[in-house]
Amino acid sequence: MGKGGGGEDAVMLPLFETKEARFRGAYKVLAFTVFVGICLIWAYRLTHIPRAGEQGRWAWIGMFMAELCFGLYWILTQSCRFKVVYNHPFKERLSNRYKDKLPSVDIFVCTADPKMEPPTMVINTVLSTMSYNYPPEKLSVYLSDDGGSNLTFYALIEASNFSKHWIPFCKKFNVEPRSPGAYFSQQIDVHDIKYAQEWFAIKKLYKEMESRIDLAVEMGEIPKEIRDQHKGFSEWNSKVTKQDHQSIVKIIIDGRDETTVDIYGRRSPMLVYMAREKRPQWPHNFKAGAMNALIRVSSEISNAPFILNLDCDMYANDADIIRETLCFFMDEKKGHEISFVQFPQNYDNITKNDIYACSISVANNVELAGIGGYGAALYCGTGCLHRRESLYGKVYSKDYGRELNVEAKKNANKTVNELEEVSISLANCSYEKDTQWGKKMGVIYGCPVEDVVTGLAIQCRGWKSLYYNPHRKSFLGVAPTTLDVVLVQQKRWSEGMFQIFFSKYCPFTYGHGKIKLGAQMGYCVYLLWAPISFPTLYYVITPPLCLFHGISLFPQVESIWFWPFAYVFVARNACSIVEALSCGDTLKAWWNGQRIWLIRRTTSYFFGFIDTISRQLGLSETTFAITTKVVTKDVLKRYEEEVMEFGSSTIMVTIIAVLALLHIFSLIGGINKIFLDLEFLKLDQLILQVVLSLLLVMINIPVYQALFIRNDEGHIPSSVLFKSIVLVSLACLIPMI
């Protein structure tokens, strides 16, 4: 890579810098004191076990096991917090140094179902990436349609026509964000007359396009006059279904053609539609299979050295982010070591107090940044820029050449028809048979979170990965707006993560000697979501039931052993609040996060554990649940008002209701035993259980409202209330031993 001048010294300035987070030293001191407190709690449990035959002996032993699990899991989380670093690129240095020698970039956008992922949403993501502040002749955008839908294909054709107006408008006025749907939903004061005229003209074009697409989706078919205009529609006939269709590859905009220009005569990026072949008798490996087909097809058409992959609902929010990210790869000293750069997942529809805790701001700013500090950032499946050759299975070595071939293969001598014909075979079901695809090449197959496994495998081949969380959010998606969707999503993730722990890719074995111990521990913070449900369930069931029966499980207030419990509780929660506030959350958002943390652990993670064990025993197979991005107006209104959406009688909602009623029954029963049964002496012995039950009651207030007060469609059905009362009544009759 050559120098570009710019007045730099003979030793080039770095293209990025890495800084450690502030106050890490103070945090380590605090963490040490909490660890001491945890050890004292373990010591108390071991030295005060009730004698054989005494009431509550087994409940006490169970408490020790739960607290042991909590303590060990907390130790895992510290591996992230001790290594938090923040990476800062210098894009001006990159531009000055390389100018016209910037590398080509392929962008992958994945969609799977036009009903759950509306085509208008998909093309907004596509248009946002086509509008990057980057040489258009060096951008290629690929849409993978795993639904094989002619509706999605039609929407992409409409987007290609609209892009000739949208891209120059964006660059002329430097608009942000460059998703037209997101941009036109903003309140914008238009003062400049020329800008206003173009703004209204572009908005009119967008709304007309949106209406045409929505009408086609509503009708379920493409009008004949439109189908006749593009030969690509001939691929769809009565035999084509979502799970049974041939490979389809269509180059909609040929970025190699210098005559393919926008309304101002400027070059347009390459735009390609791909639907890989699907047959019932062939495994399709979900999104991982789609990604691998994209890697192969793009290698034939554009073959850019870098690949950005996005989910269809994750539009680009920063027009300069590709230039920024390339600073990490093209740095002369460290860039050649980096395989991928991962961005956090952010959303543009988060409410002020984040009712479902989807923003995960602490995880984004602390935990993931901490794992990235070990050079082992988690690959999250979207919002990630890859080095192509690392996805091909290349093993990194110190002798790896630092020269980067910035000129991608363009296949200039092949026509569009020839490229499409060759690419079709690369997207066929049979192509991967007896190859290393899905094993050592591409995205790895075998579990619902194949992205995390793929990232780990790349790192174990010697590559490093970085986590980059810029001030302006780079990509914005759509967060779930109902509790049911949140829980289904979390169940899928926790199940997939736990499967990794059981597989040959367990970080403690597969990563031993290849990635740092802190990184291995950081991975396991997420891989062990599912089993942490059991100590959580035990802790929210046993102490309340023991309170109901007047059995003490904690030390008296005047006992010296009271202080470790009090200190660990206060220190951990105070630290959690400080982290949340420093990451931009409100205090109420932190409280909502505690509620969702409890709900997830007692429902999604629990069933994720059960399903993983069933799969290990051969009783079930891996499935992939697509979460819907479509919501009704009533649901959206309640979401914006921060009212939790239950509205179903699923087993997860039933568990939530049962636990909420158990807590209030136990609190009332315990207070009744203390004050009305004249057992005042037990108040000192049961005070911590009273406080725990009171906190659990307070955290479940939205559940009580949904059970007893609300009458909208989002309330908890009366059938769930009846079942929950019966189950809680039976639980309270169980003797505690």
Side-chain angles (χ1 to χ4, degrees):
M1 295 183 289
K3 299 180 182 181
E8 296 178 2
D9 296 331
V11 178
M12 289 186 175
L13 295 173
L15 293 178
F16 74 94
E17 65 179 3
T18 299
K19 293 183 178 179
E20 289 190 6
R22 295 184 300 168
F23 308 119
R24 289 301 95 192
Y27 181 82
K28 290 179 181 179
V29 173
L30 175 66
F32 176 76
T33 62
V34 171
F35 175 70
V36 172
I38 290 172
C39 291
L40 290 173
I41 290 173
W42 292 342
Y44 170 75
R45 288 293 179 202
L46 287 172
T47 57
H48 291 74
I49 299 176
R51 296 186 180 87
E54 287 187 13
Q55 192 177 31
R57 172 180 169 83
W58 289 107
W60 187 284
I61 293 173
M63 290 292 286
F64 168 67
M65 297 302 296
E67 288 162 352
L68 181 64
C69 291
F70 286 144
L72 294 175
Y73 189 76
W74 177 84
I75 291 171
L76 287 179
T77 66
Q78 301 316 294
S79 64
C80 305
R81 286 168 167 79
F82 286 173
K83 195 67 175 178
V84 178
V85 298
Y86 301 112
N87 297 298
H88 303 279
F90 303 109
K91 65 180 179 182
E92 294 81 8
R93 295 180 186 175
L94 177 77
S95 298
N96 291 335
R97 193 171 300 169
Y98 292 101
K99 296 181 180 177
D100 298 327
K101 294 185 178 180
L102 291 172
S104 298
V105 177
D106 289 342
I107 301 175
F108 297 168
V109 178
C110 297
T111 186
D113 190 318
K115 293 182 179 178
M116 302 182 75
E117 298 169 339
T120 50
M121 178 188 69
V122 175
I123 64 166
N124 269 284
T125 297
V126 170
L127 287 165
S128 71
T129 60
M130 293 178 71
S131 309
Y132 274 129
N133 287 335
Y134 204 75
E137 67 277 9
K138 295 190 175 185
L139 274 183
S140 299
V141 180
Y142 295 79
L143 176 64
S144 166
D145 176 20
D146 247 18
S149 171
N150 61 349
L151 296 172
T152 304
F153 180 67
Y154 165 61
L156 197 62
I157 291 175
E158 287 279 7
S160 69
N161 295 326
F162 178 69
S163 70
K164 296 175 183 178
H165 302 268
W166 176 247
I167 295 175
F169 172 75
C170 289
K171 295 185 177 180
K172 182 177 181 179
F173 296 105
N174 198 29
V175 304
E176 293 280 11
R178 297 196 174 178
S179 157
Y183 177 69
F184 289 123
S185 67
Q186 298 178 139
Q187 295 294 327
I188 300 176
D189 291 328
V190 182
H191 298 295
D192 183 87
I193 295 177
K194 186 176 181 181
Y195 171 59
Q197 290 174 338
E198 294 200 34
W199 186 90
F200 283 112
I202 291 291
K203 184 175 182 180
K204 182 174 182 291
L205 287 174
Y206 173 71
K207 290 299 180 183
E208 289 172 350
M209 176 188 69
E210 188 179 45
S211 297
R212 290 193 297 270
I213 294 171
D214 288 344
L215 180 61
V217 171
E218 185 179 346
M219 294 172 57
E221 62 180 5
I222 313 300
K224 185 177 184 302
E225 61 271 19
I226 295 176
R227 284 189 282 115
D228 292 341
Q229 293 173 8
H230 199 291
K231 64 177 182 178
F233 286 107
S234 62
E235 297 283 354
W236 282 270
N237 54 47
S238 59
K239 296 182 179 180
V240 171
T241 66
K242 179 180 178 181
Q243 298 297 336
D244 192 355
H245 59 80
Q246 75 281 12
S247 298
I248 303 172
V249 178
K250 296 297 174 184
I251 299 175
I252 296 176
I253 298 178
D254 184 4
R256 305 169 305 162
D257 187 353
E258 295 183 4
T259 64
T260 304
V261 294
D262 60 31
I263 59 171
Y264 290 150
R266 301 191 186 104
R267 295 276 294 276
S268 295
M270 177 86 73
L271 182 61
V272 181
Y273 172 90
M274 184 201 79
R276 62 190 171 118
E277 182 185 20
K278 278 190 174 181
R279 302 299 181 191
Q281 66 271 25
W282 287 90
H284 57 80
N285 297 301
F286 311 108
K287 182 181 173 183
M291 280 287 293
N292 286 343
L294 279 170
I295 293 170
R296 295 193 297 271
V297 168
S298 65
S299 70
E300 184 64 33
I301 297 174
S302 53
N303 199 37
F306 297 104
I307 294 171
L308 171 65
N309 84 279
L310 298 172
D311 285 345
C312 63
D313 65 333
M314 194 71 67
Y315 69 82
N317 189 55
D318 185 345
D320 291 321
I321 199 60
I322 289 184
R323 290 178 182 270
E324 287 187 13
T325 314
L326 287 176
C327 292
F328 300 114
F329 292 101
M330 300 183 73
D331 179 76
E332 286 78 8
K333 185 176 180 181
K334 301 179 180 178
H336 62 285
E337 303 173 343
I338 298 170
S339 61
F340 65 85
V341 176
Q342 176 66 55
F343 296 85
Q345 294 190 49
N346 294 304
Y347 307 97
D348 68 354
N349 63 331
I350 297 293
T351 58
K352 178 183 177 182
N353 297 305
D354 196 7
I355 186 68
Y356 296 123
C358 291
S359 66
I360 56 171
S361 55
V362 172
N364 282 343
N365 289 279
V366 179
E367 293 178 0
L368 294 176
I371 301 176
Y374 293 102
L378 268 69
Y379 170 34
C380 299
T382 182
C384 188
L385 188 65
H386 300 264
R387 188 186 297 272
R388 180 183 286 269
E389 58 189 344
S390 69
L391 285 173
Y392 282 150
K394 183 179 179 67
V395 177
Y396 174 81
S397 69
K398 292 182 179 180
D399 297 329
Y400 172 70
R402 302 189 180 206
E403 292 292 326
L404 178 67
N405 180 16
V406 298
E407 294 299 328
K409 180 178 66 177
K410 290 295 184 181
N411 277 315
N413 297 326
K414 290 186 178 180
T415 66
V416 166
N417 289 337
E418 289 173 336
L419 284 178
E420 290 176 348
E421 196 64 33
V422 173
S423 299
I424 285 173
S425 63
L426 301 177
N428 285 345
C429 291
S430 58
Y431 184 86
E432 294 183 355
K433 185 179 180 181
D434 299 325
T435 71
Q436 291 300 309
W437 283 99
K439 300 172 185 176
K440 294 183 179 180
M441 294 180 66
V443 182
I444 292 174
Y445 302 150
C447 74
V449 284
E450 63 280 334
D451 36 31
V452 174
V453 170
T454 301
L456 177 61
I458 290 172
Q459 291 153 8
C460 289
R461 292 198 290 264
W463 295 94
K464 291 183 179 179
S465 58
L466 295 183
Y467 178 76
Y468 179 39
N469 188 6
H471 178 70
R472 179 179 177 85
K473 296 176 180 177
S474 305
F475 308 98
L476 289 174
V478 180
T481 55
T482 68
L483 182 63
D484 186 54
V485 173
V486 170
L487 297 183
V488 169
Q489 190 180 67
Q490 291 288 328
K491 175 186 172 296
R492 174 166 61 87
W493 289 346
S494 63
E495 178 184 352
M497 294 287 192
F498 196 37
Q499 286 180 21
I500 297 173
F501 190 79
F502 268 118
S503 72
K504 69 175 184 179
Y505 296 106
C506 177
F508 287 130
T509 54
Y510 186 73
H512 179 69
K514 299 175 183 176
I515 61 174
K516 296 179 180 178
L517 176 62
Q520 297 170 37
M521 295 170 67
Y523 265 97
C524 289
V525 170
Y526 300 95
L527 303 192
L528 296 178
W529 272 351
I532 203 65
S533 62
F534 281 89
T536 304
L537 278 165
Y538 189 89
Y539 223 83
V540 299
I541 293 175
T542 302
L545 283 176
C546 286
L547 173 63
F548 184 85
H549 292 285
I551 301 172
S552 175
L553 292 177
F554 294 96
Q556 299 178 11
V557 175
E558 66 268 14
S559 170
I560 194 173
W561 292 105
F562 168 83
W563 294 107
F565 285 90
Y567 178 74
V568 170
F569 175 81
V570 171
R572 289 189 62 187
N573 281 283
C575 183
S576 176
I577 292 172
V578 170
E579 281 186 339
L581 295 179
S582 65
C583 293
D585 287 342
T586 64
L587 190 59
K588 189 174 181 181
W590 172 83
W591 181 249
N592 288 337
Q594 304 309 298
R595 179 184 301 115
I596 297 299
W597 170 88
L598 179 65
I599 290 174
R600 288 200 313 240
R601 284 192 174 190
T602 54
T603 55
S604 301
Y605 296 175
F606 173 70
F607 286 105
F609 181 92
I610 298 299
D611 285 359
T612 300
I613 298 302
S614 297
R615 182 178 181 275
Q616 293 297 317
L617 296 176
L619 302 177
S620 64
E621 295 183 358
T622 298
T623 59
F624 188 88
I626 302 173
T627 52
T628 182
K629 310 300 187 299
V630 181
V631 295
T632 64
K633 290 183 179 179
D634 288 343
V635 170
L636 184 59
K637 181 181 178 182
R638 285 191 289 273
Y639 175 72
E640 291 172 347
E641 293 173 351
E642 298 194 328
V643 177
M644 291 189 73
E645 187 77 19
F646 297 92
S648 68
S649 55
T650 63
I651 189 170
M652 289 194 191
V653 172
T654 302
I655 290 176
I656 293 168
V658 167
L659 292 176
L661 291 178
L662 173 64
H663 300 150
I664 200 166
F665 278 28
S666 299
L667 182 62
I668 294 172
I671 292 175
N672 177 73
K673 184 173 289 290
I674 292 171
F675 292 102
L676 299 184
D677 293 348
L678 302 178
E679 296 187 37
F680 294 108
L681 293 176
K682 287 195 172 183
L683 176 60
D684 185 54
Q685 300 173 3
L686 298 173
I687 188 64
L688 284 180
Q689 279 159 266
V690 170
V691 170
L692 176 61
S693 289
L694 181 60
L695 287 172
L696 291 171
V697 167
M698 291 173 61
I699 214 167
N700 279 295
I701 287 176
V703 183
Y704 303 133
Q705 291 172 337
L707 282 168
F708 302 113
I709 301 174
R710 290 168 54 186
N711 56 11
D712 55 54
E713 292 297 320
H715 79 291
I716 296 177
S718 55
S719 59
V720 175
L721 173 60
F722 176 75
K723 286 188 293 186
S724 301
I725 291 175
V726 172
L727 291 171
V728 171
S729 300
L730 292 174
C732 291
L733 295 175
I734 298 174
M736 302 304 296
I737 57 175

